[in-house]
Amino acid sequence: MNNFTARKNPYIIGRPIHEPEKFFGRETLFQFIEDSLNADTKIILLHAQRRIGISSVLQQIPHKVVQDKFVFVLFDLQGHSESSLSDVLFNLAEEIASQLELDSDIVTPSYDEQLKNNPDIFYQDFLPKVYQELGDKNLVLLLDEFDIISSDDGILNQGNNFFRYLQSLLNKQKKLFIIPVVGRSKDDLENLLDLFNRPPYQEVGFLDELSARQLITKPAQGMLEYQEDAIKAILELSSGHPYFTQAICFNLFLQAKIAEKWIVTRSDVEGIIDKTIESATGGLAWFWDGLSISEQVVFSAVAETQQIAIEQKQSFPEDPLTLLQKYGVIPTEDLLKAAKKLIVDGFIDDTKRRVNIELVRRWLIELHPLQKTIWKLEELKKKAINRIEQEVTKLDKNGKKQDTIDCYEEILKLNPNHFSTLPALAQRYLEIGNFNKALELYQRDYQLDAIRNKEGLLLALENYGNDLISQREFAKARTQFEEALKIEPDRVSAKYKLREIEAEISQQQQLDRKAEISQQQLENLSEHAPKTSISQQVLLGAIAVGTIALLVGGIGIYQSFTSCSGDQQKVYASCVSNPTITSIPNNIQSNISRGDRAFFFTIPNTSRDQGIEAFKEGNYPQAVELFQKAVKYNRNDPEVLIYYNNTKAREKGNPLTLAVVVPVDNPQYIAQEMLRGVAQAQNQFNINKGFSGQLLEVAIANDANNPEQAKQIAQQLVNDESVLGVIGHNTSDATQAALYIYKRADIPVISPTSGSNALEGNVFFRTVPSNAASSEKLAKYAINSGLKKVVIFYNPKSEYSNSLMEEFKSNFKGQIIRQIDLTDPTLNIKQELKDSASQQVQAVMLFPDAEHISTALEITKVNANYNLGLKLLGGSTLYNQKTLQDSRNAVEGLVITVPWFSKARQAKNFSKAAQQLWGGSVSWRTATSYDATQAILKAIKVSFPNPSRETILQKLPQVNLSPRETSGDLLQFQNRERQSQPILVKVEKGQFRILQ
């Protein structure tokens, strides 16, 4: 059958079927329409899901219905949802004239204006002319996508009362008939049905089996031969849905041409499912996009229960709402209604356990997995919850824990499935010692995502257990640690605590036995001793007590002076094995990862989670495949790209290792911006096969912008001899805290974001301009702009913020009226700004650290709301989308310094490459982090064949990277400082623009 390879694919997807010979089935429907028209039925409503082939049905009505008495005109209402009534009528008139080939002067351009003045001329003037041309025949309007001009709210009022106008036409025009297609469920159409006095109504559903078989076999008859089992497989996938039947067959024909194999088997059908899903994206998306969030969640749950039943060979899937509860979802009224509506609308069967179309179910499993979809529930009641969350931020700052708890509880009343509230509220309950409530919330969080949220539950169990130990409630404490071991059987810290508890219980039992023996001896002495005076009895009792004390004390003294073996230590006077440091959950190792944990838990990615498990097992080939899928699933997430490259490096063997320290959770967006730069450089390096066969591995470390945690991270990285250098930290405070440790170890560290002038030393480099350079730039701009009086808002406790303020003071030639502490709990922004305006202050300098950006933005809003007219200048922490989105017009005119700007001429090449990689624009932190990685890689390269911390440290000062090797600027170090100038940008029309 080689001659068939040149034949055109006979299956049609993506357009209506115009050719009668290519249309199969629907005979009963066409007969219903013909009978209804002959019975003088003025309106016939057709209801159908989209992509069911209804447009093809309308195209075929003129061919399938006897035309002796009727002429058909097809008019597509799609695109007219916002049109005026006159526009709809004018377009309808044009279409009637065109399809019936009427005289061109019947619809003139001026007719549009006439209709605007008087819509009734459509039936008073236009339609009579049409009837005259038709003679004895009647006009039938086939209205495709009828419901597209409406919405769920006020359906009869849409299109400027187009529905009511149609109804009035039918009452006045004997020769006019209407067949509209309504893509809504029957429940949604009650108003329409009432308006048209309950007209005949026909649902256009799936094809019957005979018609579906014809659709499969007849278009390719003589070319493709379908085995019976292949036909059954197609029907199992499509359930007779014409669009999906055509899509499957289209891809089978395509595959047959490529393979030159013209007999189709069941295995051929199974083999093209993924390709079919890809090619039928438009039709499949409709099954999703038109659903409410609750319906989407239930739809995914039904697909998931089916998948579980298939994998576990169960004959009947479980209730999807039961599965949702296992995931920690509360079955709200919305979810219960959603399940019922999915049945009514034909998406799932009457049992509520199966998706009606198997191909759709597989698509849901692939693109809308339940674990990802349930997070959409967070979007419900979003506006109200956002307001409460703002209140929580204020209460948190003022230390009002109970009020904060009350607010979080209010959020869960509004939306019981606001999942990000669960760990936050659980943590607050943990802080006030309400362990039962904390554990309840952590348990639910764990159900939501066992991999991501396991650690929170384990820590809560251990905290509760420790509290019970302090109260000597050892039996209850034991239960908590046993629960922890059920979740993580190898958790050393829990095993350690259980041994401690057992030692305590054993000791207590010994004491109880000794006391019991002593009491028995005392009773024996009392029975056999002669009667004594009261004073003798007292003396005897004292002796007995002393005996007990000696016994008890003897045990303690013996145990205290007995030494433990080398791998044990004393805990409550008992010898127990030492725990390994890396296994204790509170230790800093849990904040360092090369691919064995996900830091960005709130980003769902099943492939990433599976890749992490494979990585931990050392199954690098599988991990590479899974992380590659994770990257495709979310190319904007730098963590998965780093893990993908790390696994490739491990698979290759003997990787070069760098560490990057970022604030994963404080705030997350900064960490991701930094990681994108490092990931881009690593990816580029590894694609180019690294150096001498060695690829780059990057260890991600989380210091949370916390100086104490930064020290611990630094010590761990220093102790790991595989780490050749460090990129980070983010804030100057964190970098300053860690720098002493790096200096002692002579390990090179390059910060892409820390600008404080206090940071110095032979191991410290940076790819960001110092605060001295940024402040000087701002000061010069202020002077040149004629600003003579300013106030400064800053954080005196922040190394970055304080340094920026001091440098500005030394460079500004005008008068600084006040320096205002952003952290002051009594800060009255409104009063401060009004006082400043009354003192003829011209500008406000905003130098917030990362923690106080929101406060700085509040200052801009107060300035705008009270029309104070103060100019705004600031530091680079304000360069982010939050500034533009939160403050909007309030930051118009704001001028800030940034180390790098994507729209600068020299940055365009890097910006374009970054946008292609990440699917969006990138920040200056991404650029400077990329440059930092490039610099250290250059030093490694010139240190070959034996790169070490020492040689890299020697080579870094000599690094000279051209603009094409960086984010756009030449990279050289002088006294370990990058020789580049910051850029001034200004907010204009809601966008950052370079200031010329």
Side-chain angles (χ1 to χ4, degrees):
M1 294 193 180
N2 289 344
N3 57 315
F4 297 134
T5 57
R7 292 290 299 273
K8 185 179 178 182
N9 198 316
Y11 297 99
I12 298 169
I13 56 174
R15 71 166 178 85
I17 298 173
H18 304 284
E19 307 89 338
E21 69 277 8
K22 293 182 180 180
F23 186 92
F24 302 97
R26 309 292 189 196
E27 288 83 3
T28 304
L29 173 64
F30 294 128
Q31 190 61 54
F32 165 79
I33 293 171
E34 185 173 325
D35 290 346
S36 298
L37 290 173
N38 286 329
D40 207 32
T41 303
K42 303 291 287 181
I43 179 166
I44 306 164
L45 283 177
L46 300 182
H47 167 246
Q49 292 180 348
R50 293 187 67 193
R51 297 289 183 177
I52 201 72
I54 194 63
S55 295
S56 297
V57 168
L58 293 181
Q59 292 285 345
Q60 296 305 316
I61 288 175
H63 302 290
K64 305 291 184 178
V65 175
V66 176
Q67 299 188 41
D68 292 347
K69 295 167 35 180
F70 302 100
V71 171
F72 300 92
V73 171
L74 179 63
F75 181 58
D76 191 350
L77 283 165
Q78 188 167 2
H80 287 289
S81 59
E82 303 299 325
S83 298
S84 65
L85 178 60
S86 61
D87 284 342
V88 177
L89 294 175
F90 179 72
N91 289 328
L92 177 57
E94 283 189 316
E95 199 63 38
I96 291 171
S98 173
Q99 291 187 34
L100 298 182
E101 298 180 351
L102 303 178
D103 291 339
S104 58
D105 60 353
I106 197 170
V107 181
T108 62
S110 63
Y111 195 63
D112 186 14
E113 196 62 36
Q114 294 173 37
L115 280 168
K116 288 178 182 177
N117 296 327
N118 180 17
D120 289 344
I121 64 170
F122 179 77
Y123 74 83
Q124 293 171 346
D125 177 63
F126 175 74
L127 286 180
K129 292 178 181 176
V130 173
Y131 300 147
Q132 186 176 355
E133 293 288 334
L134 295 180
D136 294 335
K137 292 187 177 182
N138 299 303
L139 175 64
V140 182
L141 298 180
L142 306 174
L143 301 178
D144 197 1
E145 297 288 359
F146 183 76
D147 66 328
I148 209 71
I149 69 165
S150 65
S151 68
D152 290 330
D153 181 28
I155 190 170
L156 299 182
N157 300 318
Q158 300 300 309
N160 199 6
N161 296 304
F162 184 66
F163 292 98
R164 292 189 176 91
Y165 190 84
L166 286 178
Q167 192 268 342
S168 69
L169 285 184
L170 293 177
N171 290 337
K172 298 170 184 175
Q173 306 291 313
K174 291 182 179 180
K175 296 173 70 68
L176 179 65
F177 295 75
I178 300 175
I179 304 179
V181 173
V182 186
R184 295 173 175 271
S185 72
K186 220 169 187 178
D187 288 344
D188 292 332
L189 288 172
E190 283 304 311
N191 287 334
L192 286 176
L193 291 169
D194 288 342
L195 177 67
F196 290 110
N197 197 24
R198 297 282 159 177
Y201 178 94
Q202 188 78 7
E203 180 171 358
V204 183
F206 299 165
L207 295 174
D208 58 42
E209 184 175 340
L210 177 60
S211 297
R213 282 175 172 270
Q214 289 176 339
L215 183 58
I216 293 167
T217 57
K218 285 195 174 182
Q221 198 166 25
M223 292 182 286
L224 274 188
E225 180 184 333
Y226 287 90
Q227 291 185 351
E228 175 61 23
D229 213 25
I231 295 173
K232 287 180 179 178
I234 295 169
L235 294 175
E236 287 165 8
L237 286 168
S238 71
S239 299
H241 190 294
Y243 176 79
F244 297 122
T245 303
Q246 292 258 35
I248 294 166
C249 294
F250 182 92
N251 284 283
L252 284 169
F253 188 88
L254 195 64
Q255 182 61 34
K257 283 183 69 174
I258 294 169
E260 295 190 18
K261 177 178 174 287
W262 300 95
I263 297 176
V264 181
T265 65
R266 175 177 279 271
S267 63
D268 292 328
V269 177
E270 288 290 338
I272 54 86
I273 290 175
D274 288 344
K275 189 67 181 173
T276 301
I277 287 173
E278 183 182 336
S279 64
T281 299
L284 287 162
W286 176 82
F287 277 83
W288 188 257
D289 296 339
L291 300 178
S292 70
I293 288 172
S294 294
E295 289 164 358
Q296 288 176 348
V297 170
V298 175
F299 204 19
S300 283
V302 175
E304 185 82 8
T305 58
Q306 272 187 268
Q307 186 66 25
I308 292 168
I310 291 166
E311 291 171 357
Q312 298 180 0
K313 297 182 178 173
Q314 299 169 346
S315 58
F316 195 62
E318 71 175 322
D319 190 316
L321 295 175
T322 302
L323 179 63
L324 285 172
Q325 285 178 282
K326 290 179 181 178
Y327 273 98
V329 176
I330 302 294
T332 61
E333 187 65 27
D334 276 352
L335 290 170
L336 295 171
K337 288 179 179 177
K340 293 176 182 176
K341 192 166 187 302
L342 288 171
I343 294 172
V344 171
D345 290 349
F347 291 100
I348 60 178
D349 70 4
D350 292 341
T351 69
K352 199 175 64 180
R353 310 293 176 93
R354 292 187 177 91
V355 178
N356 280 334
I357 302 173
E358 173 62 12
L359 189 70
V360 173
R361 188 195 69 79
R362 297 198 188 195
W363 173 74
L364 288 170
I365 291 293
E366 184 176 329
L367 289 183
H368 299 286
L370 181 59
Q371 198 166 31
K372 172 186 171 184
T373 304
I374 53 180
W375 281 90
K376 285 176 166 280
L377 291 170
E378 283 227 329
E379 297 174 23
L380 300 175
K381 310 283 180 143
K382 194 171 182 178
K383 286 185 179 178
I385 288 172
N386 284 345
R387 286 194 294 270
I388 298 174
E389 286 178 332
Q390 290 170 5
E391 183 65 23
V392 166
T393 303
K394 295 175 185 176
L395 292 170
D396 254 351
K397 285 182 180 178
N398 296 326
K400 296 182 178 180
K401 288 186 179 179
Q402 189 55 52
D403 290 342
T404 301
I405 287 171
D406 292 342
C407 282
Y408 279 131
E409 290 285 9
E410 184 62 28
I411 288 173
L412 290 181
K413 283 181 185 176
L414 283 171
N415 179 4
N417 295 311
H418 195 264
F419 304 119
S420 57
T421 294
L422 298 178
L425 180 55
Q427 180 62 34
R428 299 311 191 283
Y429 276 124
L430 205 59
E431 289 169 1
I432 66 171
N434 190 338
F435 294 104
N436 288 327
K437 192 67 179 173
L439 283 171
E440 176 191 325
L441 291 162
Y442 275 126
Q443 180 65 44
R444 199 176 148 210
D445 204 32
Y446 176 66
Q447 288 175 265
L448 183 66
D449 192 327
I451 295 173
R452 205 184 306 167
N453 303 326
K454 178 175 73 173
E455 196 66 22
L457 176 58
L458 289 170
L459 289 173
L461 286 165
E462 290 182 329
N463 277 333
Y464 188 25
N466 289 331
D467 184 73
L468 290 168
I469 288 173
S470 69
Q471 299 176 46
R472 305 191 70 76
E473 295 276 355
F474 297 117
K476 289 183 180 178
R478 178 166 52 194
T479 301
Q480 308 314 312
F481 292 107
E482 286 172 346
E483 284 297 315
L485 287 176
K486 287 179 184 176
I487 297 168
E488 190 176 287
D490 296 325
R491 194 170 182 84
V492 174
S493 56
K495 290 180 179 179
Y496 173 68
K497 283 293 183 181
L498 279 175
R499 287 194 292 268
E500 177 186 317
I501 290 167
E502 294 303 330
E504 281 286 356
I505 291 174
S506 177
Q507 180 180 338
Q508 187 63 52
Q509 288 171 344
Q510 291 180 45
L511 293 177
D512 290 344
R513 283 196 296 272
K514 294 292 184 182
E516 189 179 330
I517 292 169
S518 299
Q519 182 64 33
Q520 187 63 50
Q521 289 174 341
L522 179 59
E523 290 174 1
N524 290 339
L525 285 171
S526 298
E527 288 176 11
H528 295 95
K531 290 183 179 180
T532 59
S533 65
I534 292 175
S535 62
Q536 287 174 318
Q537 290 179 24
V538 172
L539 178 61
L540 187 61
I543 292 169
V545 171
T547 303
I548 294 171
L550 181 61
L551 287 167
V552 174
I555 295 169
I557 292 168
Y558 172 77
Q559 291 181 337
S560 295
F561 285 96
T562 303
S563 61
C564 298
S565 63
D567 63 343
Q568 295 183 318
Q569 64 175 342
K570 277 251 176 35
V571 178
Y572 294 105
S574 299
C575 291
V576 297
S577 298
N578 286 313
T580 58
I581 290 176
T582 58
S583 300
I584 299 176
N586 289 328
N587 90 92
I588 207 64
Q589 281 283 17
S590 62
N591 282 301
I592 301 175
S593 172
R594 288 167 166 81
D596 57 359
R597 73 188 72 242
F599 282 125
F600 302 107
F601 300 129
T602 54
I603 303 173
N605 194 325
T606 303
S607 296
R608 174 202 62 199
D609 299 337
Q610 293 170 344
I612 286 170
E613 292 306 311
F615 184 92
K616 289 196 287 190
E617 293 169 4
N619 188 347
Y620 298 132
Q622 185 184 17
V624 166
E625 183 180 337
L626 288 165
F627 283 136
Q628 189 173 32
K629 285 183 179 178
V631 171
K632 287 181 180 177
Y633 177 76
N634 185 359
R635 63 174 174 150
N636 193 245
D637 182 359
E639 182 183 41
V640 292
L641 184 59
I642 287 174
Y643 288 170
Y644 167 72
N645 276 297
N646 284 356
T647 314
K648 294 281 287 183
R650 290 259 178 124
E651 190 177 33
K652 180 79 172 173
N654 193 26
L656 300 164
T657 303
L658 298 177
V660 55
V661 188
V662 295
V664 166
D665 40 17
N666 188 27
Q668 179 175 301
Y669 78 89
I670 287 179
Q672 290 180 311
E673 288 176 359
M674 293 174 69
L675 288 176
R676 285 188 189 105
V678 176
Q680 187 165 343
Q682 179 196 24
N683 191 55
Q684 180 178 297
F685 179 83
N686 287 357
I687 285 174
N688 292 328
K689 305 190 185 309
F691 292 144
S692 297
Q694 290 178 271
L695 301 182
L696 178 62
E697 176 185 65
V698 174
I700 303 173
N702 171 30
D703 70 357
N705 273 344
N706 182 299
E708 285 305 312
Q709 189 162 315
K711 288 181 194 175
Q712 297 174 55
I713 289 286
Q715 191 60 60
Q716 287 295 321
L717 296 179
V718 162
N719 293 344
D720 185 344
E721 294 183 0
S722 70
V723 176
L724 296 172
V726 177
I727 299 160
H729 300 223
N730 172 45
T731 65
S732 296
D733 298 287
T735 306
Q736 183 76 301
L739 195 52
Y740 172 71
I741 296 166
Y742 295 135
K743 286 178 182 176
R744 277 189 318 181
D746 282 332
I747 184 171
V749 54
I750 304 182
S751 175
T753 56
S754 300
S756 170
N757 299 327
L759 298 170
E760 55 184 22
N762 65 316
V763 302
F764 178 74
F765 298 76
R766 60 178 149 214
T767 52
V768 63
S770 69
N771 283 352
S774 298
S775 296
E776 182 182 0
K777 190 91 170 180
L778 267 181
K780 284 183 177 178
Y781 173 80
I783 295 165
N784 293 337
S785 300
L787 302 178
K788 297 178 181 178
K789 286 186 178 182
V790 302
V791 292
I792 300 176
F793 286 87
Y794 77 115
N795 177 7
K797 303 178 189 72
S798 161
E799 186 65 47
Y800 161 81
S801 184
N802 194 55
S803 169
L804 204 59
M805 184 276 296
E806 292 292 348
E807 291 296 332
F808 182 83
K809 275 175 64 179
S810 65
N811 285 284
F812 184 58
K813 304 304 181 185
Q815 187 178 358
I816 296 172
I817 303 299
R818 268 189 317 286
Q819 295 158 214
I820 304 162
D821 184 356
L822 286 166
T823 68
D824 183 354
T826 64
L827 174 62
N828 185 328
I829 295 172
K830 176 181 171 183
Q831 195 58 49
E832 286 288 355
L833 292 185
K834 284 191 170 182
D835 289 348
S836 297
S838 68
Q839 293 173 292
Q840 285 77 51
V841 167
Q842 298 162 288
V844 175
M845 311 304 301
L846 298 171
F847 298 148
D849 58 335
E851 296 291 320
H852 293 89
I853 292 173
S854 295
T855 310
L857 295 180
E858 190 61 32
I859 292 167
T860 68
K861 293 174 187 175
V862 172
N863 179 49
N865 291 342
Y866 289 92
N867 296 315
L868 298 176
L870 296 168
K871 295 191 179 301
L872 304 170
L873 287 78
S876 60
T877 51
L878 294 173
Y879 180 66
N880 54 62
Q881 284 302 308
K882 179 180 174 65
T883 297
L884 300 177
Q885 291 167 359
D886 285 9
S887 292
R888 299 183 183 275
N889 292 338
V891 292
E892 190 70 16
L894 168 68
V895 174
I896 58 177
T897 58
V898 292
W900 177 90
F901 188 59
S902 62
K903 294 176 182 176
R905 180 181 52 80
Q906 67 272 24
K908 285 184 179 178
N909 289 338
F910 176 78
S911 295
K912 184 178 178 181
Q915 189 153 14
Q916 288 173 347
L917 180 63
W918 302 113
S921 58
V922 294
S923 77
W924 67 263
R925 295 181 188 87
T926 299
T928 54
S929 298
Y930 175 84
D931 292 347
T933 313
Q934 287 289 83
I936 207 164
L937 285 173
K938 183 72 171 181
I940 289 173
K941 184 175 181 180
V942 297
S943 299
F944 260 79
N946 298 308
S948 65
R949 294 175 180 179
E950 182 182 0
T951 58
I952 293 168
L953 207 50
Q954 291 171 356
K955 301 298 183 182
L956 267 174
Q958 303 163 26
V959 163
N960 186 351
L961 293 174
S962 68
R964 63 183 177 80
E965 297 173 282
T966 69
S967 61
D969 287 313
L970 183 73
L971 176 52
Q972 293 177 319
F973 294 110
Q974 184 174 335
N975 296 325
R976 293 172 294 280
E977 296 282 355
R978 182 176 190 171
Q979 298 306 293
S980 64
Q981 284 295 313
I983 298 169
L984 286 174
V985 297
K986 185 177 184 179
V987 178
E988 293 180 346
K989 297 180 180 179
Q991 297 293 324
F992 288 113
R993 303 185 190 281
I994 195 165
L995 197 61
Q996 301 297 337

